[in-house]
Amino acid sequence: MFTLFFIDLGRKILEFMYFVGGLTNLSVQTVYLTFKPPYKYGHIIEQSKKAGYDSFPIVSLLALFIGFIFALQTAYFMQRIGSEMYIASMVALSIVRELGPVITALVVAGRVGASHTAELGSMQVTEQIDALETMATNPVKYLVVPRFVALSVMLPILTLYANIIGILGSYLICVLKLGITSSMYMNITFSALFYKDLFTGLFKAWIFGMVIALVSCYEGFNVEGGAAGVGKATTRSVVITFIMIIAADCFFTALFYFIFP
């Protein structure tokens, strides 16, 4: 029994090291080829539309609901101590620094990252990626770089948009339900936010975008076992991306806490 346990543990450690090595190798290649001409502007714009423009409706809906929920939950406690006026500042800081970047990244990882893995995985099992190499086309330059650039650019933009919609949701609850005046809500919100709050949130969104692109493409390139393998790789890609987003958020939140206290 113990022998099987250690064999399984050793296999998982080797798989983890193989994943880390492969992802690091793909990351280095992608960053290098991003700055090396020729630039695939058409592919970048196409991927930006899929990752950004097509995600606006679902991001809008989720951000609005989060604004509603967070304002109501905060009001539940603040009304007990007669401090309803601080709801605006708490909601604004929480959304801009944490909820906006994380929720947007999770939505994009589930929608766009899974799509990238399935698409590249299908190309892998049908040997289309091998065909690209046969035609002297670098698959990382042709397939990964446009997705990497698109997500790196579009995720901060989507996050900024989600911040505005989330604060709008809280504004509607506070003004229409809690009786806080519109001018007071806006004054408290803008007085609570500083540039460093916006910067930290958008910086994390930029990192999350790169994580989604690299993990989803790496899993797509390493699909094995035909159509069933594509499904497993897509699920694994979403799970790994979620874990890495939360871990990165934890790391950078702690880092920024000490750099910008």
Side-chain angles (χ1 to χ4, degrees), residues 130-151:
D130 293 336
L132 286 175
E133 293 178 333
T134 304
M135 293 186 293
T137 299
N138 188 327
V140 176
K141 177 71 175 178
Y142 187 76
L143 297 172
V144 180
V145 169
R147 290 167 170 79
F148 178 77
V149 175
L151 281 169

Side-chain angles (χ1 to χ4, degrees), residues 39-88:
Y39 304 109
K40 307 290 185 183
Y41 294 114
H43 291 176
I44 292 172
I45 292 172
E46 179 186 355
Q47 293 300 327
S48 297
K49 178 183 177 300
K50 291 180 180 176
Y53 180 78
D54 293 348
S55 298
F56 273 107
I58 188 169
V59 169
S60 303
L61 200 60
L62 287 177
L64 188 66
F65 286 156
I66 287 170
F68 286 163
I69 295 167
F70 201 66
L72 290 170
Q73 289 293 344
T74 307
Y76 179 75
F77 173 74
M78 286 299 181
Q79 283 179 327
R80 291 182 178 181
I81 59 176
S83 301
E84 293 92 335
M85 68 176 63
Y86 295 111
I87 296 173

Side-chain angles (χ1 to χ4, degrees), residues 65-240:
F65 286 156
I66 287 170
F68 286 163
I69 295 167
F70 201 66
L72 290 170
Q73 289 293 344
T74 307
Y76 179 75
F77 173 74
M78 286 299 181
Q79 283 179 327
R80 291 182 178 181
I81 59 176
S83 301
E84 293 92 335
M85 68 176 63
Y86 295 111
I87 296 173
S89 57
M90 290 185 65
V91 171
L93 285 172
S94 300
I95 288 178
V96 170
R97 292 182 69 104
E98 294 295 332
L99 291 176
V102 172
I103 296 298
T104 304
L106 295 180
V107 169
V108 173
R111 202 188 75 82
V112 181
S115 170
H116 286 174
T117 302
E119 186 178 356
L120 298 185
S122 299
M123 294 179 69
Q124 178 70 10
V125 297
T126 55
E127 300 182 348
Q128 293 181 56
I129 294 177
D130 293 336
L132 286 175
E133 293 178 333
T134 304
M135 293 186 293
T137 299
N138 188 327
V140 176
K141 177 71 175 178
Y142 187 76
L143 297 172
V144 180
V145 169
R147 290 167 170 79
F148 178 77
V149 175
L151 281 169
S152 302
V153 173
M154 294 309 299
L155 208 66
I157 295 174
L158 278 171
T159 298
L160 185 62
Y161 175 73
N163 292 341
I164 295 171
I165 297 298
I167 292 174
L168 174 64
S170 170
Y171 168 88
L172 294 174
I173 292 295
C174 290
V175 172
L176 301 179
K177 176 67 177 174
L178 304 179
I180 299 174
T181 64
S182 177
S183 59
M184 178 182 290
Y185 187 93
M186 298 306 295
N187 287 335
I188 294 173
T189 297
F190 286 118
S191 63
L193 290 175
F194 295 95
Y195 285 116
K196 66 178 183 180
D197 302 315
L198 187 62
F199 167 76
T200 55
L202 296 182
F203 178 81
K204 287 193 286 188
W206 179 57
I207 297 294
F208 296 160
M210 291 190 287
V211 168
I212 295 168
L214 292 171
V215 172
S216 61
C217 291
Y218 174 79
E219 290 295 334
F221 276 172
N222 288 278
V223 166
E224 294 178 346
V230 174
K232 291 178 182 176
T234 303
T235 303
R236 188 166 58 245
S237 169
V238 173
V239 172
I240 293 173

